[in-house]
Amino acid sequence: MPQDPMDFEWSYWIEWGRERILWLLAGHLLVSQVSRLLAEKYKPWCLMVYGMAACWLLLGIRGFAVILLHATISFAVAQFQLSLLTWLCSLILLSTLRIPAVEEAKRKWYDTENEYYLLLFTVSVRCLFCTSFSLEYCWHGPAQKSSHSFLWMLAYVFYYPTFHNGPLMNFNEFSKQMRRQEAFSLKTNLGILIVGIIRIFFWWCLAELMIHLMYIHALYSSAPPLEAASYWALGGLALAQVLFFYVKYLVLYGVPALLLQMDGLKPPALPCCVSLMHSFTKMWRLISVKSPIMLLICHFTYRYIYVPMGGSQSSLLGTLFSTALTFAFVSYWHGGQSYLWYWGVLNWLGVIVENGIKRILSISLIQDLI
């Protein structure tokens, strides 16, 4: 039975995975385990060199140069130790991905659109990593600058399991865990690898079953079936799409999470099932890295936007502004198209309404009435 071809993201990453990325991840695993066994002290630099080589192989010398240039500019701006300047630099670098003349020039570097999109996705994710490093550099004192060197930035930016599509680890977590030297057991790691592969294979089979039998995305791409469907049917289709999104990211983030574990790092939590969610705020709660939507950057926005802008500790207007800024960045990072801004505003309003009702219900008079 033919599969639903309308989910671009799944088809794209599965195709790249089969062609090259899975093989490069296997190479990373080999380098990681050998370096942990023979030279634990030099593991970050071995993995850095491997990540650079993998980047060069997949994206070519020009793609490699673009990512290295972004990292160099971000590091240079971070030397001023001004968070606002760092953010300005990051947004400018991100905006260069949407300049038509620059896009056209980059397309000419590659034979296919898929190769260009791989560069686009990779650079977008690397912008978050460069921003994380630069902000941590701004926030740390002179005594800690040695642990925030340009070499450590390159080790972080070119760490291959998270290179193309995340998930995101902030720099502090990455460097602290990468520096930690633990007892290494090849037998234990082998057991973790086998169990992890079995779980990911199960999730992949489930996702393939859904995409071959349910045709959720094909239905969404055609107006007549949606117009003819009842509200209950539309609700079921929406739930089915979100459930597929959840299973898809168990695979797409499950693979790098397994490699992080094999490297002795603690991976970000995988998404939890959306069927367990009953609260709009809980689904989008920025402190939770288990949010099933936008798992890639929810922890990033919480640490680097929501909290620095005051978050829930500020006044009501401050909280509204912090939340709005967070959703604005998420919308802009994903492309900044008009539908993304509408989506961001609707989600922001949903969080506001739910929190507003909770505040009203917490009033003692209302509780007495209830």
Side-chain angles (χ1 to χ4, degrees), residues 58-67 69-70 97 101-113 115-116 119-120 123:
L58 272 189
L59 300 177
I61 179 62
R62 291 171 175 171
F64 172 80
V66 166
I67 294 170
L69 180 64
H70 276 227
L97 303 179
V102 176
E103 285 182 335
E104 193 57 36
K106 288 177 181 175
R107 274 190 168 92
K108 291 177 181 177
W109 296 350
Y110 302 105
D111 297 327
T112 65
E113 280 286 290
E115 291 175 292
Y116 164 72
L119 173 67
L120 183 65
V123 174

Side-chain angles (χ1 to χ4, degrees), residues 35-80:
S35 61
R36 289 191 74 185
L37 192 62
L38 302 178
E40 177 80 18
K41 184 179 177 181
Y42 300 103
K43 180 182 70 173
W45 319 125
C46 295
L47 297 181
M48 179 191 75
V49 171
Y50 181 85
M52 287 177 153
C55 171
W56 193 316
L57 180 66
L58 272 189
L59 300 177
I61 179 62
R62 291 171 175 171
F64 172 80
V66 166
I67 294 170
L68 189 60
L69 180 64
H70 276 227
T72 304
I73 292 172
S74 296
F75 185 80
V77 171
Q79 303 308 302
F80 293 97

Side-chain angles (χ1 to χ4, degrees), residues 294 327 330-332 334-345:
M294 307 308 169
F327 279 114
V330 173
S331 300
Y332 182 72
H334 277 86
Q337 290 87 354
S338 58
Y339 71 88
L340 286 166
W341 293 113
Y342 297 143
W343 165 89
V345 169

Side-chain angles (χ1 to χ4, degrees), residues 83-84 87 139 286 300-327 329:
S83 297
L84 186 60
W87 267 115
W139 295 346
L286 298 176
F300 175 90
T301 52
Y302 177 76
R303 180 171 175 80
Y304 300 118
I305 300 177
Y306 187 71
V307 171
M309 294 307 298
S312 59
Q313 303 303 312
S314 61
S315 64
L316 178 60
L317 285 176
T319 302
L320 295 179
F321 179 70
S322 302
T323 311
L325 208 58
T326 298
F327 279 114
F329 177 76

